[in-house]
Amino acid sequence: MDRMIYLAMSGAKATMQRQDIVAHNLANASTTGFRAELQAFRAVPVVGEGASTRVFALESTPGYNAAPGPVQSTGRALDVAMKGNAWLAVQALDGTEAYTRAGNLDVNTEGQLTTSSGLTVLGDGGPITIPANSELKIGADGTISAKTGNQRPQVVGRLKLVTPEAPLTRGTDGLFRAAEELPADQTARLQDGALEGSNVSAVESMVAMIAAARQFEQQMKMLQSAQDKEQAASKLLSST
């Protein structure tokens, strides 16, 4: 009986974790540049006294879905969509260099190029300063040209685009990082006036959520059935 309870409990815990991942992905189905989280479990033997007759389902995060999201044209000069496996370098709140696919950029009150969430966008030489009241143009290689009034356009910086050879690691802040800072990739390209959407499929996520809910319900029924059988056995023993 305890085996049935243990299996149902272990499965229910794994199903709840799966629901959390699916719900997080579904909540970001419309987030610019979002990469869907993946989830997997592995069986780990329970170590203790006696024979090893139990295993536990331990969550193993394989990373994220690297498939590109849909690219939608916006016509906005400060919107960029990275091509291929290129990523945009930004400065995280903790001061470290991080990477994102969200290309909806802006200029703050200090004239620095930032993301829509206020993170500093990094160029080949650090933060990029934009001249006041200038018209910007971002080239396919990340070069930023600024035109002020009737003056000729001048290059004010170049976005730092990187192409990681190994999968990145997602942080709790939603940004991605490598084991060490990546060098700028001069061959990386982007599409200006466009944004890459989330690669989460809302339909698939909803189906996965329903499946996980039904699986959790079945596991709860197994626990209830085990409890009923244990109570019936106890009554039978006490009556003899």
Side-chain angles (χ1 to χ4, degrees), residues 52-73:
S52 299
T53 60
R54 294 289 186 272
V55 294
F56 191 77
L58 183 65
E59 183 180 8
S60 174
T61 305
Y64 56 91
N65 183 359
V71 176
Q72 182 176 3
S73 177

Side-chain angles (χ1 to χ4, degrees), residues 88-226:
L88 176 66
V90 298
Q91 187 176 53
L93 294 178
D94 59 2
T96 61
E97 181 173 303
Y99 310 103
T100 180
R101 295 278 293 194
N104 41 345
L105 309 182
D106 210 339
V107 180
N108 63 15
T109 56
E110 299 176 356
Q112 285 191 341
L113 191 65
T114 66
T115 64
S116 60
S117 57
L119 299 177
T120 301
V121 175
L122 298 178
D124 289 345
I128 301 173
T129 302
I130 305 299
N133 303 319
S134 60
E135 181 181 347
L136 300 181
K137 173 67 176 178
I138 302 179
D141 62 349
T143 301
I144 304 175
S145 301
K147 180 181 179 182
T148 305
N150 295 324
Q151 299 179 1
R152 297 182 60 183
Q154 295 186 356
V155 176
V156 295
R158 181 178 180 180
L159 299 175
K160 182 179 180 180
L161 301 175
V162 303
T163 304
E165 296 182 359
L168 301 174
T169 302
R170 190 199 307 266
T172 56
D173 55 2
L175 298 174
F176 293 78
R177 292 173 175 81
E180 56 184 15
E181 292 186 5
L182 300 175
D185 183 4
Q186 305 301 326
T187 64
R189 292 293 181 265
L190 56 79
Q191 179 180 341
D192 65 314
L195 289 175
E196 179 188 10
S198 170
N199 68 352
V200 175
S201 171
V203 175
E204 291 181 2
S205 297
M206 285 296 299
V207 172
M209 180 67 74
I210 295 172
R214 290 179 177 175
Q215 184 177 358
F216 184 80
E217 182 181 354
Q218 291 298 320
Q219 288 155 345
M220 290 297 99
K221 287 182 179 179
M222 286 180 62
L223 286 174
Q224 185 63 48
S225 176

